[in-house]
Amino acid sequence: MAIKLEDKKAIVAEVNEAAKAALSAVVADARGVTVGAMTGLRKEAREAGVYVRVVRNTLLRRAVEGTQYDVLSDVFKGPTLIAFSNEHPGAAARIFKEFAKGQDKFEIKAAAFEGQFIAANQIDALATLPTYDEAISQLMSVMQGATSKLARTLAAIRDQKEAAAA
């Protein structure tokens, strides 16, 4: 189906705006995935703050040109599904990774984070990044552990000095 030039420009502008605002991007091939499964993926992505779009490769190359996702241009071959994470860098990678477990024909091609190319076999590094809330809770548990150890140490020193004075 032919797309008019104005529509192509609108698609490129929309995807370019999404790319500029995104924290990370993941590219996949969704050939052979049912419409129902794709609808579920898109719904889950929307809820996680992930922009998902199927775009023609030539338009996608133009849209990411000059952005940190320009490194993905080489993987834009065949049907391309791109997802941009807006709220958390690992959101799109995590969603695609979980979706790929249930779909044999869904293939993750690559990802990009902070201008760095991430191959499909290394996507776990991006997918396992903790969310903001998880990172805060990990930090708080480390801080709590350190402060409680300090308090126990100070109490032990105090008890030792009291025992020596008595």
Side-chain angles (χ1 to χ4, degrees), residues 63-110:
V64 299
E65 195 173 279
T67 68
Q68 60 181 339
Y69 306 110
D70 202 9
V71 296
L72 293 171
S73 293
D74 292 340
V75 297
F76 298 155
K77 295 179 176 112
T80 303
L81 175 70
I82 190 158
F84 293 107
S85 297
N86 297 318
E87 296 171 10
H88 177 266
R94 190 175 301 121
I95 290 170
F96 275 21
K97 185 179 166 202
E98 286 299 316
F99 185 74
K101 287 179 183 176
Q103 300 289 328
D104 296 337
K105 297 182 180 183
F106 188 80
E107 176 194 351
I108 298 173
K109 295 180 181 180

Short mmCIF file of all heavy atoms in Angstrom, two decimals, residues 63-110:
data_model
loop_
_atom_site.label_atom_id
_atom_site.label_comp_id
_atom_site.label_asym_id
_atom_site.label_seq_id
_atom_site.Cartn_x
_atom_site.Cartn_y
_atom_site.Cartn_z
N ALA A 63 14.11 8.59 10.65
CA ALA A 63 13.60 9.06 11.94
C ALA A 63 14.67 9.02 13.04
O ALA A 63 14.70 9.91 13.89
CB ALA A 63 12.41 8.20 12.37
N VAL A 64 15.53 8.02 13.03
CA VAL A 64 16.55 7.91 14.09
C VAL A 64 17.85 8.62 13.72
O VAL A 64 18.76 8.70 14.55
CB VAL A 64 16.84 6.44 14.48
CG1 VAL A 64 15.59 5.78 15.02
CG2 VAL A 64 17.44 5.66 13.34
N GLU A 65 17.94 9.12 12.51
CA GLU A 65 19.14 9.82 12.06
C GLU A 65 19.39 11.04 12.96
O GLU A 65 18.50 11.83 13.21
CB GLU A 65 18.95 10.28 10.61
CG GLU A 65 20.20 10.70 9.91
CD GLU A 65 19.91 10.96 8.45
OE1 GLU A 65 19.86 9.98 7.68
OE2 GLU A 65 19.72 12.15 8.10
N GLY A 66 20.60 11.12 13.48
CA GLY A 66 20.95 12.24 14.35
C GLY A 66 20.56 12.04 15.81
O GLY A 66 20.78 12.92 16.62
N THR A 67 19.98 10.91 16.14
CA THR A 67 19.66 10.61 17.54
C THR A 67 20.63 9.56 18.05
O THR A 67 21.44 9.02 17.30
CB THR A 67 18.22 10.06 17.68
OG1 THR A 67 18.14 8.77 17.08
CG2 THR A 67 17.20 11.00 17.05
N GLN A 68 20.53 9.24 19.32
CA GLN A 68 21.41 8.23 19.90
C GLN A 68 21.07 6.82 19.40
O GLN A 68 21.82 5.88 19.66
CB GLN A 68 21.36 8.29 21.42
CG GLN A 68 19.99 8.05 22.01
CD GLN A 68 20.00 8.15 23.52
OE1 GLN A 68 21.04 8.02 24.14
NE2 GLN A 68 18.84 8.40 24.10
N TYR A 69 19.98 6.67 18.68
CA TYR A 69 19.55 5.35 18.19
C TYR A 69 19.97 5.11 16.74
O TYR A 69 19.58 4.13 16.13
CB TYR A 69 18.04 5.18 18.37
CG TYR A 69 17.67 5.43 19.80
CD1 TYR A 69 16.96 6.56 20.17
CD2 TYR A 69 18.11 4.58 20.81
CE1 TYR A 69 16.67 6.81 21.49
CE2 TYR A 69 17.84 4.84 22.13
CZ TYR A 69 17.11 5.95 22.47
OH TYR A 69 16.85 6.20 23.79
N ASP A 70 20.78 5.99 16.22
CA ASP A 70 21.32 5.85 14.87
C ASP A 70 22.16 4.57 14.76
O ASP A 70 22.32 4.02 13.67
CB ASP A 70 22.16 7.09 14.53
CG ASP A 70 22.31 7.31 13.04
OD1 ASP A 70 21.63 6.61 12.27
OD2 ASP A 70 23.11 8.17 12.67
N VAL A 71 22.69 4.08 15.88
CA VAL A 71 23.51 2.87 15.89
C VAL A 71 22.71 1.62 15.51
O VAL A 71 23.28 0.59 15.16
CB VAL A 71 24.18 2.64 17.27
CG1 VAL A 71 25.15 3.77 17.58
CG2 VAL A 71 23.14 2.49 18.37
N LEU A 72 21.38 1.72 15.55
CA LEU A 72 20.52 0.59 15.21
C LEU A 72 20.22 0.47 13.72
O LEU A 72 19.62 -0.51 13.29
CB LEU A 72 19.19 0.68 15.98
CG LEU A 72 19.26 0.53 17.49
CD1 LEU A 72 17.91 0.87 18.11
CD2 LEU A 72 19.68 -0.88 17.85
N SER A 73 20.64 1.41 12.93
CA SER A 73 20.29 1.45 11.50
C SER A 73 20.63 0.17 10.75
O SER A 73 19.92 -0.21 9.82
CB SER A 73 20.95 2.64 10.82
OG SER A 73 20.41 3.84 11.31
N ASP A 74 21.70 -0.49 11.13
CA ASP A 74 22.11 -1.71 10.42
C ASP A 74 21.15 -2.88 10.63
O ASP A 74 21.14 -3.81 9.82
CB ASP A 74 23.52 -2.13 10.85
CG ASP A 74 24.57 -1.13 10.39
OD1 ASP A 74 24.29 -0.37 9.45
OD2 ASP A 74 25.67 -1.12 10.98
N VAL A 75 20.37 -2.87 11.70
CA VAL A 75 19.45 -3.98 11.96
C VAL A 75 18.05 -3.73 11.39
O VAL A 75 17.17 -4.57 11.54
CB VAL A 75 19.36 -4.34 13.47
CG1 VAL A 75 20.68 -4.80 13.99
CG2 VAL A 75 18.80 -3.19 14.27
N PHE A 76 17.86 -2.60 10.74
CA PHE A 76 16.56 -2.30 10.13
C PHE A 76 16.44 -3.03 8.81
O PHE A 76 16.54 -2.45 7.74
CB PHE A 76 16.37 -0.79 9.94
CG PHE A 76 16.38 0.01 11.21
CD1 PHE A 76 16.72 1.34 11.18
CD2 PHE A 76 16.04 -0.55 12.42
CE1 PHE A 76 16.73 2.11 12.33
CE2 PHE A 76 16.04 0.19 13.59
CZ PHE A 76 16.39 1.53 13.54
N LYS A 77 16.22 -4.34 8.88
CA LYS A 77 16.02 -5.18 7.70
C LYS A 77 14.82 -6.06 7.96
O LYS A 77 14.64 -6.58 9.05
CB LYS A 77 17.26 -6.05 7.46
CG LYS A 77 18.49 -5.24 7.12
CD LYS A 77 19.70 -6.11 6.92
CE LYS A 77 20.86 -5.26 6.48
NZ LYS A 77 21.92 -5.15 7.45
N GLY A 78 14.00 -6.24 6.94
CA GLY A 78 12.79 -7.04 7.13
C GLY A 78 11.78 -6.25 7.94
O GLY A 78 11.96 -5.07 8.22
N PRO A 79 10.68 -6.88 8.34
CA PRO A 79 9.68 -6.19 9.15
C PRO A 79 10.28 -5.74 10.48
O PRO A 79 10.90 -6.53 11.19
CB PRO A 79 8.60 -7.25 9.38
CG PRO A 79 8.84 -8.27 8.33
CD PRO A 79 10.30 -8.24 8.01
N THR A 80 10.13 -4.48 10.80
CA THR A 80 10.77 -3.93 11.99
C THR A 80 9.74 -3.36 12.96
O THR A 80 8.94 -2.50 12.59
CB THR A 80 11.77 -2.84 11.60
OG1 THR A 80 12.72 -3.39 10.69
CG2 THR A 80 12.50 -2.30 12.81
N LEU A 81 9.80 -3.86 14.17
CA LEU A 81 8.99 -3.37 15.27
C LEU A 81 9.96 -2.68 16.23
O LEU A 81 10.94 -3.29 16.66
CB LEU A 81 8.29 -4.54 15.98
CG LEU A 81 7.50 -4.23 17.24
CD1 LEU A 81 6.24 -3.46 16.87
CD2 LEU A 81 7.11 -5.52 17.94
N ILE A 82 9.74 -1.41 16.51
CA ILE A 82 10.64 -0.69 17.40
C ILE A 82 9.87 -0.22 18.62
O ILE A 82 8.70 0.13 18.53
CB ILE A 82 11.33 0.50 16.69
CG1 ILE A 82 12.44 1.06 17.57
CG2 ILE A 82 10.34 1.56 16.27
CD1 ILE A 82 13.50 1.84 16.83
N ALA A 83 10.55 -0.29 19.77
CA ALA A 83 9.96 0.15 21.02
C ALA A 83 10.91 1.11 21.71
O ALA A 83 12.10 0.82 21.85
CB ALA A 83 9.69 -1.05 21.91
N PHE A 84 10.39 2.25 22.13
CA PHE A 84 11.17 3.24 22.85
C PHE A 84 10.68 3.30 24.29
O PHE A 84 9.49 3.49 24.53
CB PHE A 84 11.01 4.64 22.22
CG PHE A 84 11.61 4.77 20.85
CD1 PHE A 84 10.80 4.84 19.73
CD2 PHE A 84 12.98 4.82 20.69
CE1 PHE A 84 11.35 4.98 18.47
CE2 PHE A 84 13.54 4.96 19.42
CZ PHE A 84 12.72 5.02 18.32
N SER A 85 11.59 3.13 25.24
CA SER A 85 11.25 3.22 26.67
C SER A 85 11.29 4.68 27.09
O SER A 85 12.31 5.34 26.92
CB SER A 85 12.24 2.42 27.51
OG SER A 85 12.18 1.06 27.19
N ASN A 86 10.20 5.14 27.66
CA ASN A 86 10.13 6.54 28.06
C ASN A 86 10.33 6.77 29.55
O ASN A 86 10.82 7.82 29.95
CB ASN A 86 8.78 7.14 27.63
CG ASN A 86 8.62 7.12 26.14
OD1 ASN A 86 9.55 7.41 25.41
ND2 ASN A 86 7.44 6.77 25.66
N GLU A 87 9.93 5.81 30.39
CA GLU A 87 9.98 6.01 31.83
C GLU A 87 11.12 5.26 32.50
O GLU A 87 11.64 5.70 33.51
CB GLU A 87 8.65 5.60 32.45
CG GLU A 87 7.50 6.46 31.97
CD GLU A 87 6.15 5.93 32.41
OE1 GLU A 87 6.11 5.01 33.25
OE2 GLU A 87 5.14 6.45 31.93
N HIS A 88 11.47 4.11 31.97
CA HIS A 88 12.53 3.29 32.55
C HIS A 88 13.33 2.67 31.41
O HIS A 88 12.76 2.10 30.49
CB HIS A 88 11.91 2.20 33.42
CG HIS A 88 12.93 1.27 34.00
ND1 HIS A 88 13.27 0.10 33.40
CD2 HIS A 88 13.69 1.38 35.10
CE1 HIS A 88 14.21 -0.50 34.12
NE2 HIS A 88 14.47 0.26 35.16
N PRO A 89 14.66 2.74 31.44
CA PRO A 89 15.47 2.25 30.32
C PRO A 89 15.28 0.77 29.99
O PRO A 89 15.39 0.38 28.84
CB PRO A 89 16.91 2.52 30.76
CG PRO A 89 16.84 3.37 31.95
CD PRO A 89 15.47 3.34 32.48
N GLY A 90 14.98 -0.05 30.97
CA GLY A 90 14.86 -1.48 30.73
C GLY A 90 13.45 -1.95 30.43
O GLY A 90 13.23 -3.14 30.20
N ALA A 91 12.48 -1.05 30.41
CA ALA A 91 11.08 -1.45 30.26
C ALA A 91 10.81 -2.17 28.93
O ALA A 91 10.23 -3.25 28.91
CB ALA A 91 10.16 -0.24 30.39
N ALA A 92 11.23 -1.60 27.83
CA ALA A 92 10.98 -2.22 26.52
C ALA A 92 11.70 -3.55 26.40
O ALA A 92 11.14 -4.53 25.91
CB ALA A 92 11.41 -1.29 25.39
N ALA A 93 12.95 -3.60 26.85
CA ALA A 93 13.71 -4.85 26.78
C ALA A 93 13.05 -5.93 27.63
O ALA A 93 12.95 -7.09 27.21
CB ALA A 93 15.14 -4.61 27.26
N ARG A 94 12.58 -5.57 28.81
CA ARG A 94 11.94 -6.53 29.70
C ARG A 94 10.64 -7.06 29.08
O ARG A 94 10.38 -8.26 29.08
CB ARG A 94 11.65 -5.88 31.05
CG ARG A 94 11.21 -6.86 32.12
CD ARG A 94 11.03 -6.20 33.48
NE ARG A 94 12.27 -5.59 33.95
CZ ARG A 94 12.40 -4.29 34.25
NH1 ARG A 94 11.37 -3.47 34.13
NH2 ARG A 94 13.54 -3.81 34.66
N ILE A 95 9.84 -6.16 28.52
CA ILE A 95 8.56 -6.55 27.91
C ILE A 95 8.80 -7.45 26.70
O ILE A 95 8.16 -8.48 26.55
CB ILE A 95 7.74 -5.30 27.52
CG1 ILE A 95 7.23 -4.62 28.80
CG2 ILE A 95 6.59 -5.66 26.61
CD1 ILE A 95 6.62 -3.26 28.56
N PHE A 96 9.74 -7.07 25.83
CA PHE A 96 10.03 -7.88 24.64
C PHE A 96 10.60 -9.23 25.03
O PHE A 96 10.27 -10.25 24.43
CB PHE A 96 10.99 -7.14 23.72
CG PHE A 96 10.33 -6.18 22.76
CD1 PHE A 96 9.07 -5.67 23.01
CD2 PHE A 96 10.97 -5.78 21.61
CE1 PHE A 96 8.47 -4.80 22.14
CE2 PHE A 96 10.37 -4.91 20.72
CZ PHE A 96 9.11 -4.41 20.98
N LYS A 97 11.46 -9.26 26.04
CA LYS A 97 12.08 -10.52 26.47
C LYS A 97 11.01 -11.48 27.00
O LYS A 97 11.00 -12.68 26.67
CB LYS A 97 13.12 -10.24 27.55
CG LYS A 97 13.90 -11.45 27.97
CD LYS A 97 14.93 -11.08 29.01
CE LYS A 97 15.45 -12.34 29.65
NZ LYS A 97 16.01 -12.12 30.94
N GLU A 98 10.09 -10.97 27.82
CA GLU A 98 9.01 -11.81 28.35
C GLU A 98 8.09 -12.27 27.23
O GLU A 98 7.65 -13.42 27.21
CB GLU A 98 8.21 -11.04 29.41
CG GLU A 98 8.92 -10.88 30.72
CD GLU A 98 9.24 -12.21 31.38
OE1 GLU A 98 8.36 -13.10 31.41
OE2 GLU A 98 10.37 -12.38 31.85
N PHE A 99 7.80 -11.39 26.29
CA PHE A 99 6.91 -11.73 25.18
C PHE A 99 7.54 -12.80 24.30
O PHE A 99 6.86 -13.71 23.82
CB PHE A 99 6.59 -10.48 24.36
CG PHE A 99 5.59 -10.69 23.27
CD1 PHE A 99 4.25 -10.84 23.56
CD2 PHE A 99 5.98 -10.74 21.94
CE1 PHE A 99 3.31 -11.05 22.56
CE2 PHE A 99 5.06 -10.93 20.93
CZ PHE A 99 3.72 -11.09 21.24
N ALA A 100 8.85 -12.71 24.09
CA ALA A 100 9.56 -13.67 23.23
C ALA A 100 9.54 -15.09 23.81
O ALA A 100 9.61 -16.06 23.07
CB ALA A 100 10.99 -13.22 23.01
N LYS A 101 9.43 -15.20 25.14
CA LYS A 101 9.37 -16.53 25.77
C LYS A 101 8.15 -17.31 25.31
O LYS A 101 8.21 -18.52 25.16
CB LYS A 101 9.36 -16.40 27.29
CG LYS A 101 10.68 -15.98 27.87
CD LYS A 101 10.58 -15.86 29.38
CE LYS A 101 11.88 -15.37 29.97
NZ LYS A 101 11.76 -15.15 31.43
N GLY A 102 7.03 -16.62 25.09
CA GLY A 102 5.80 -17.28 24.70
C GLY A 102 5.56 -17.32 23.20
O GLY A 102 4.61 -17.93 22.73
N GLN A 103 6.41 -16.64 22.44
CA GLN A 103 6.23 -16.55 20.99
C GLN A 103 7.49 -17.03 20.29
O GLN A 103 8.53 -16.37 20.34
CB GLN A 103 5.94 -15.10 20.57
CG GLN A 103 4.71 -14.50 21.18
CD GLN A 103 3.44 -15.11 20.61
OE1 GLN A 103 3.38 -15.50 19.46
NE2 GLN A 103 2.42 -15.18 21.44
N ASP A 104 7.42 -18.18 19.63
CA ASP A 104 8.59 -18.73 18.95
C ASP A 104 9.06 -17.87 17.78
O ASP A 104 10.25 -17.80 17.48
CB ASP A 104 8.29 -20.14 18.43
CG ASP A 104 8.01 -21.11 19.56
OD1 ASP A 104 8.47 -20.84 20.69
OD2 ASP A 104 7.35 -22.13 19.32
N LYS A 105 8.11 -17.20 17.12
CA LYS A 105 8.46 -16.46 15.91
C LYS A 105 8.88 -15.01 16.19
O LYS A 105 9.34 -14.32 15.29
CB LYS A 105 7.27 -16.47 14.95
CG LYS A 105 6.95 -17.88 14.49
CD LYS A 105 5.82 -17.92 13.51
CE LYS A 105 5.57 -19.36 13.11
NZ LYS A 105 4.54 -19.49 12.12
N PHE A 106 8.75 -14.56 17.42
CA PHE A 106 9.14 -13.21 17.79
C PHE A 106 10.64 -13.19 18.05
O PHE A 106 11.16 -13.92 18.89
CB PHE A 106 8.38 -12.77 19.05
CG PHE A 106 8.56 -11.33 19.41
CD1 PHE A 106 7.83 -10.35 18.77
CD2 PHE A 106 9.44 -10.95 20.41
CE1 PHE A 106 7.99 -9.02 19.09
CE2 PHE A 106 9.60 -9.62 20.75
CZ PHE A 106 8.87 -8.65 20.10
N GLU A 107 11.36 -12.35 17.31
CA GLU A 107 12.82 -12.32 17.40
C GLU A 107 13.30 -10.91 17.73
O GLU A 107 13.04 -9.96 16.99
CB GLU A 107 13.43 -12.76 16.07
CG GLU A 107 14.93 -12.69 16.04
CD GLU A 107 15.49 -12.81 14.63
OE1 GLU A 107 14.73 -13.11 13.69
OE2 GLU A 107 16.69 -12.58 14.49
N ILE A 108 14.01 -10.80 18.84
CA ILE A 108 14.61 -9.52 19.20
C ILE A 108 15.89 -9.37 18.40
O ILE A 108 16.74 -10.26 18.41
CB ILE A 108 14.89 -9.45 20.72
CG1 ILE A 108 13.58 -9.56 21.50
CG2 ILE A 108 15.63 -8.16 21.06
CD1 ILE A 108 13.76 -9.68 23.00
N LYS A 109 16.01 -8.27 17.67
CA LYS A 109 17.18 -8.04 16.82
C LYS A 109 18.32 -7.36 17.56
O LYS A 109 19.46 -7.78 17.48
CB LYS A 109 16.80 -7.19 15.61
CG LYS A 109 15.82 -7.84 14.65
CD LYS A 109 15.53 -6.87 13.52
CE LYS A 109 14.56 -7.43 12.52
NZ LYS A 109 14.30 -6.47 11.44
N ALA A 110 18.02 -6.27 18.27
CA ALA A 110 19.05 -5.50 18.96
C ALA A 110 18.38 -4.45 19.84
O ALA A 110 17.16 -4.28 19.81
CB ALA A 110 19.99 -4.84 17.97
#
